[in-house]
Amino acid sequence: MGKGGEKGEEVGEREAQNRLYSWEEIRRHNLRTDKWLVIERKVYNITKWAARHPGGSRVISHYAGEDATDAFWAFHLNPSFVQKFLKPLLIGELAPGEPSQDRGKNPQLVDDFRALRKTAEDMNLFKADPLFFSLYLAHIIMMEALAWLLVSYYGTSWITTFILSCILATSQAQAGWLQHDFGHLSVFKKSKWNHIVHKFVIGHLKGASANWWNHRHFQHHAKPNIFKKDPDVNMLHIFVLGDSQPVEYGKKKLKYLPYHHQHEYFFLVFPPFLIPVYFQIQIIMTMIRRRFWADLAWAFSYYMRYFIMYIPFYGVLGSLFLLTFVRFLESHWFVWVTQMNHIPMDIDCEKHRDWLSAQLAATCNIEQSFFNDWFTGHLNFQIEHHLFPMMPRHNYWKIAPLVKSLCTKYGVHYEEKSLGKAFRDIVGSLKKSGALWLDAYLHK
């Protein structure tokens, strides 16, 4: 009976492969209740599977009706293993006359980018250095220990408390960059170990949720700076971004806030409150609502450890104030670093670009230096990170010249700037978008 079942599956697979589809037909299957996508010319019906997708239903659904080949290779550590889950979803192939890429994408550019990825694999650039990540984790733990020893020996004076807060904020920021590495499966060869250590770092060292981060961050990588697909550009009507959204809001006479002043109130809203208020509420609600009990346990272990360490010195209320101040400092660091690569770039509705062009339109780099690498967690190489999200960060500098060369060949803009200019461009971009909103609000 087992052999008969296997033969039946083989027959079903051959029948599916014999079904041929055009891009015109595939594009129609991009609805909530009807989702197809293409990987290496094979057509898959992911309608039911999307809800069980380990990376979340949204990230895979963002490619409904499209070619998802490059996204598939970017996000899966073991593609051959994942193919086992894809087999039952196979419904056919692209017709012989159909191009491999949808919507008129440049096939030569796409092929050259895939060749670049193969070159990176041949150069072992997807192999992590265990010593690098061990030392990185060690320096975070040392800062945590240093902060506790500081208050143990010097007491709770204002000066000591401020220095301690800066050390803890630095530790939290660096732990944030480290969890990012494990979340992207860029450290261990096996996904399982990346997931386990990811939960430890983001849960026990930061008090956050691995699942919350995964479901949110992978959407950002799949469709960076795309409204309704990238959660990082969902500003809850507090800011208007890019060139099209401000005009749309202005024409509709939407004025939730005085957007022509957003470059000024940005300093009072975004950096101070993102982590200590918005993220904290969202993380806790998500863990409870979606029953991420393992994540909740890891987060609880963080708070237990923190309060055991600091209640003896500051009391319950004092420890809460200290934690809030640490998150306040960390939030400023996090916002400036994460937004400098994206807010000044192209932010718009879906344009169906190829993988290389889409990532380059939404990201820019910051000049390399030892400080910039450490301060940003190597997110100064945002372009390389977005193109190859599973590449260990210590290898970005090696692939960067090849990425630049490919971009030059096809006239794709590769933007690199100083850290100071990157920070100024955040404010300048918000000011520009606010001016577009005001003009549309008053005159259109």
Side-chain angles (χ1 to χ4, degrees), residues 212 216 277-287 289:
W212 167 83
R216 179 185 177 93
V277 178
Y278 179 65
F279 273 0
Q280 286 305 301
I281 294 173
Q282 191 181 66
I283 289 169
I284 293 171
M285 289 180 62
T286 300
M287 288 191 294
R289 187 173 63 250

Side-chain angles (χ1 to χ4, degrees), residues 343-356:
I343 280 187
M345 305 304 289
D346 185 28
I347 304 176
D348 209 336
C349 298
E350 179 66 83
K351 293 184 178 178
H352 301 290
R353 295 182 172 108
D354 62 84
W355 183 258
L356 177 76

Side-chain angles (χ1 to χ4, degrees), residues 38 92 108 132 171 193 223 231 245 253 276 278 356 384 420 432:
V38 176
Q108 190 58 52
F132 174 88
S171 173
W193 285 108
K223 296 289 183 177
Q245 188 187 53
K253 308 305 176 188
Y278 179 65
L356 177 76
E384 287 69 30
K432 176 188 174 184

Side-chain angles (χ1 to χ4, degrees), residues 78-151:
N78 189 348
S80 59
F81 174 75
V82 180
Q83 290 285 354
K84 297 178 182 179
F85 297 93
L86 286 175
K87 276 187 177 182
L89 311 179
L90 181 67
I91 59 172
E93 296 184 352
L94 287 173
E98 292 291 315
S100 295
Q101 286 76 44
D102 60 327
R103 294 178 171 86
K105 296 171 185 173
N106 185 337
Q108 190 58 52
L109 186 158
V110 173
D111 289 344
D112 281 357
F113 172 74
R114 292 174 184 173
L116 175 60
R117 180 181 180 85
K118 181 63 169 60
T119 299
E121 292 172 353
D122 293 340
M123 293 171 65
N124 286 323
L125 297 187
F126 288 93
K127 183 178 180 180
D129 180 0
L131 181 62
F132 174 88
F133 290 104
S134 298
L135 292 175
Y136 206 92
L137 176 60
H139 105 289
I140 293 168
I141 295 174
M142 286 176 61
M143 281 188 283
E144 293 278 343
L146 178 62
W148 184 82
L149 290 172
L150 190 69
V151 72

